[in-house]
């Protein structure tokens, strides 16, 4: 029976997972290289925003079931939940997974299970087993009777949670679990069975890795289709939102929504892992990435055209996060658009983003001010809706009457 779990990486996946496990009665040790995050969590506080996460972390720390530090400790199960970004040329960067693996190596014991939750290119789970055996020749993954007392287990169980509803989805989502062999798969299924109510679907490691990349590529391709419809409709003077609403009345058609581009650290990244692994075989997936990445520049061009008629144009940009009702600005197409408008000096930009208190210093923004929504609209010639935040529902539509409205989400439709 698993009692002790060590979670490496306390970000949007690792921290909710660690605190959930602690609440469920496991003895959990969390590890992060970010010392500030470690300090905060040990005080029962959080360094990221996710609804109710603060309450759960506080309860987990106060109960004594969750401790965190910058070094792993011995455990029954090790969960790796570190970033897998891409580097130049859209190539996957596995350095965080490698470092996380090396960090647990001294603490591994025979019988331990290592689980990779990070979205990863195909073959990464097998690589983890190889890295461990290189560093610890006393451990192995062989099932022969001779080696059985020194074997460890490795499996991939990709996270599938949606920011904004992570705590519910961690428990309720079905999980795909693929081990480097059937013993590893079975051991990982038995572990997740202790806290997941969704179905636990066993497979091998490579299929599990591919399943996660497939899910996010599927969404990217479908959003690209919606964005392409928006280009066609602009060209032919058709309302794309009405068009999609009508087409979706067909029982077998379910078109997604166009937007200012695809953001976040998953959907705009993961399809590249497939393109990198099989360049000749991924023409559609590659094109979808190109279509979605083209969208922010397209929006900037539309704003620039409309701004030309004003001597000193003022543009209100509504929303900065990568999607509705969250505060996460990472890889946000709205940020890209605002940075472009600022760099090209298209006009003065007033931003309304009710989910943040101040603009991050890292943004390269001149002539850009954060202000309350209605003030931003009042002071503008052009209103550019970038994020369909629920709070924008209360905008007084009369304020928009004299303005040029560019609505990338069909929000005011
Ligand atoms: N978007 C559109 N039009 C749509 C839907 C989304 O433009 O119709 C845009 C959003 O505005 C956003 C981007 O796409 O910029 C991505 O948002 P999302 O809500 O589709 O997805 P994420 O990135 O928040 O979470 C996804 C989820 N994957 C799938 O839905 C297949 C989640 O389940 C994964 O766990 C997560 O990626 C991840 O971590 O990989």
């Amino acid at each position: 029976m698993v009692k002790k779990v060590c979670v490496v990486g306390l970000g949007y996946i690792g921290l909710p997972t660690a605190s959930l496990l602690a609440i469920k009665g496991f003895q959990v040790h969390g590890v992060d290289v970010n010392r500030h995050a470690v300090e905060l969590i040990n005080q029962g506080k959080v360094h990221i925003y996710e609804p109710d996460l603060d309450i759960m972390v506080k309860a987990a720390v106060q109960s004594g079931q969750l401790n965190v530090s910058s070094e792993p400790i011995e455990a029954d199960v090790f969960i790796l939940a570190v970033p897998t970004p891409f580097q130049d040329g859209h190539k996957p960067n596995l350095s965080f997974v490698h470092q996380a693996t090396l960090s647990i190596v001294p603490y591994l014991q025979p019988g331990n299970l290592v689980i990779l939750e990070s979205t990863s290119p195909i073959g990464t789970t097998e690589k983890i087993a190889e890295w461990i055996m290189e560093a610890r020749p006393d451990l192995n993954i062989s099932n022969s009777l001779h080696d059985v007392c020194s074997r460890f287990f490795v499996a991939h169980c990709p996270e599938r949670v949606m920011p904004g509803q992570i705590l519910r989805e961690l428990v309720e989502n079905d999980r795909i679990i693929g081990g480097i062999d059937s013993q590893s798969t079975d051991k990982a299924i038995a572990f997740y069975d202790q806290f997941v109510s969704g179905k636990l679907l066993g497979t091998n490691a490579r299929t599990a890795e591919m399943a996660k990349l497939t899910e996010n590529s599927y969404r990217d391709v479908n959003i690209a289709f919606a964005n392409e419809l928006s280009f066609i409709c602009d060209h032919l003077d058709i309302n794309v939102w009405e068009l999609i609403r009508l087409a979706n009345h067909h029982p077998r058609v379910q078109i997604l929504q166009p937007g200012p581009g695809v953001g976040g650290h998953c959907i705009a990244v993961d399809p590249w892992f497939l393109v990198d692994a099989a360049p000749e075989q991924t023409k559609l997936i590659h094109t979808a990435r190109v279509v979605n990445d083209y969208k922010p520049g397209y929006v900037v061009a539309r704003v620039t055209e409309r701004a030309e008629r004003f001597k000193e144009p003022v543009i209100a940009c509504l929303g900065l996060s990568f999607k509705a009702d969250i505060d996460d600005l990472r890889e946000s197409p709205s940020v890209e658009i605002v940075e472009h408008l600022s760099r090209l000096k298209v006009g003065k930009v007033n931003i309304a983003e009710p989910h943040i208190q101040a603009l991050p210093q890292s943004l390269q923004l001149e002539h850009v001010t954060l202000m309350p929504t209605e003030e931003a609209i009042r002071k503008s010639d052009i209103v550019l809706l970038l994020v369909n935040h629920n709070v924008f529902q209360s905008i007084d539509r009369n304020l928009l009457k004299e303005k040029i409205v560019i609505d990338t989400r069909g929000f005011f439709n």
Side-chain angles (χ1 to χ4, degrees):
M1 193 70 173
V2 172
K3 290 200 184 77
K4 285 171 99 183
V5 183
C6 179
V7 180
V8 183
L10 298 173
Y12 281 87
I13 303 302
L15 184 56
T17 304
S19 44
L20 172 72
L21 287 167
I23 297 291
K24 296 273 179 185
F26 293 92
Q27 189 60 47
V28 184
H29 182 79
V31 182
D32 205 290
V33 289
N34 176 346
R35 283 176 195 275
H36 173 64
V38 166
E39 254 171 52
L40 277 180
I41 298 166
N42 272 331
Q43 293 164 21
K45 297 180 186 157
V46 290
H47 61 300
I48 49 176
Y49 176 74
E50 174 65 24
D52 298 333
L53 180 64
D54 51 346
I55 300 169
M56 192 144 99
V57 169
K58 194 170 176 191
V61 171
Q62 279 180 350
S63 70
Q65 296 294 111
L66 174 64
N67 286 292
V68 305
S69 79
S70 49
E71 281 296 324
I73 60 170
E74 286 183 0
D76 304 305
V77 175
F78 292 83
I79 297 178
L80 309 181
V82 292
T84 44
F86 59 52
Q87 54 204 3
D88 292 349
H90 296 126
K91 298 221 159 287
N93 173 357
L94 286 184
S95 61
F96 299 105
V97 176
H98 191 202
Q99 277 162 26
T101 307
L102 295 184
S103 78
I104 63 169
V105 152
Y107 305 94
L108 282 174
Q109 291 168 318
N112 282 172
L113 168 65
V114 179
I115 298 171
L116 173 67
E117 284 220 7
S118 316
T119 305
S120 299
I122 289 117
T124 309
T125 313
E126 289 160 355
K127 265 197 192 131
I128 288 176
E130 283 164 24
W131 290 332
I132 292 172
M133 286 187 293
E134 268 166 35
R136 286 283 301 271
D138 57 312
L139 294 175
N140 70 76
I141 50 170
S142 148
N143 285 314
S144 80
L145 271 182
H146 174 67
D147 295 323
V148 87
C149 335
S150 50
R151 85 151 292 180
F152 64 101
F153 303 85
V154 189
H156 182 45
C157 179
E159 61 84 8
R160 300 166 110 185
V161 290
M162 193 77 146
Q165 41 201 48
I166 292 180
L167 296 185
R168 182 177 60 75
E169 290 204 356
L170 267 183
V171 176
E172 291 180 7
N173 283 0
D174 295 345
R175 301 296 294 257
I176 296 174
I177 299 174
I180 49 166
D181 56 11
S182 60
Q183 286 82 352
S184 294
T185 307
D186 291 347
K187 223 170 158 44
I189 288 179
F191 170 61
Y192 282 95
D193 199 26
Q194 294 177 76
F195 62 97
V196 171
S197 66
K199 291 196 186 79
L200 302 174
L201 310 161
T203 179
N204 58 48
R206 294 173 77 82
T207 310
E209 287 159 349
M210 176 85 182
K212 172 62 194 246
L213 301 179
T214 301
E215 291 160 13
N216 280 356
S217 300
Y218 169 86
R219 196 147 167 92
D220 196 44
V221 167
N222 281 281
I223 299 169
F225 182 74
N227 277 330
E228 185 153 299
L229 287 179
S230 76
F231 302 141
I232 303 170
C233 286
D234 277 0
H235 184 61
L236 300 177
D237 199 20
I238 289 168
N239 180 326
V240 70
W241 316 103
E242 185 191 4
L243 170 85
I244 291 174
R245 200 168 52 242
L246 295 174
N248 281 347
H249 276 271
H250 186 290
R252 284 171 295 284
V253 173
Q254 195 53 57
I255 302 166
L256 294 180
Q257 299 297 303
V262 170
H265 21 281
C266 312
I267 295 193
V269 175
D270 304 349
W272 288 118
F273 294 178
L274 285 179
V275 174
D276 179 65
E280 284 305 310
Q281 291 76 15
T282 45
K283 295 194 173 61
L284 176 65
I285 292 171
H286 190 171
T287 305
R289 276 287 67 246
V290 173
V291 169
N292 285 334
D293 277 354
Y294 173 72
K295 193 71 193 270
Y298 176 87
V299 173
V300 170
R302 297 291 78 74
V303 176
T304 309
E305 272 165 28
R306 311 302 283 274
E308 271 161 10
R309 70 177 73 166
F310 299 96
K311 212 166 146 234
E312 287 175 353
V314 181
I315 305 149
C317 291
L318 309 188
L320 211 51
S321 58
F322 86 82
K323 66 179 195 176
D325 306 326
I326 58 170
D327 69 342
D328 193 342
L329 306 188
R330 290 176 300 168
E331 322 290 337
S332 170
S334 311
V335 170
E336 191 182 335
I337 289 167
V338 168
E339 282 187 325
H340 260 77
L341 291 172
S342 159
R343 198 172 323 122
L344 299 173
K345 300 189 172 34
V346 177
K348 192 170 172 332
V349 176
N350 293 332
I351 295 179
E353 177 45 89
H355 297 280
I356 60 173
Q357 313 304 323
L359 292 172
Q361 307 228 313
S362 54
L363 300 188
Q364 306 283 312
L365 301 175
E366 269 179 51
H367 307 294
V368 174
T369 320
L370 183 69
M371 60 177 70
T373 308
E374 300 216 333
E375 185 186 346
I377 297 175
R378 261 199 197 93
K379 289 182 169 165
S380 69
D381 306 302
I382 299 174
V383 176
L384 175 62
L385 186 292
L386 292 169
V387 186
N388 46 339
H389 287 315
N390 246 322
V391 286
F392 291 153
Q393 292 290 0
S394 61
I395 292 172
D396 177 0
R397 304 290 159 113
N398 288 320
L399 290 177
L400 301 173
K401 273 190 182 143
E402 306 294 313
K403 314 288 181 191
I404 292 177
V405 177
I406 302 177
D407 182 357
T408 66
R409 302 269 187 181
F411 187 78
F412 297 121
N413 229 41

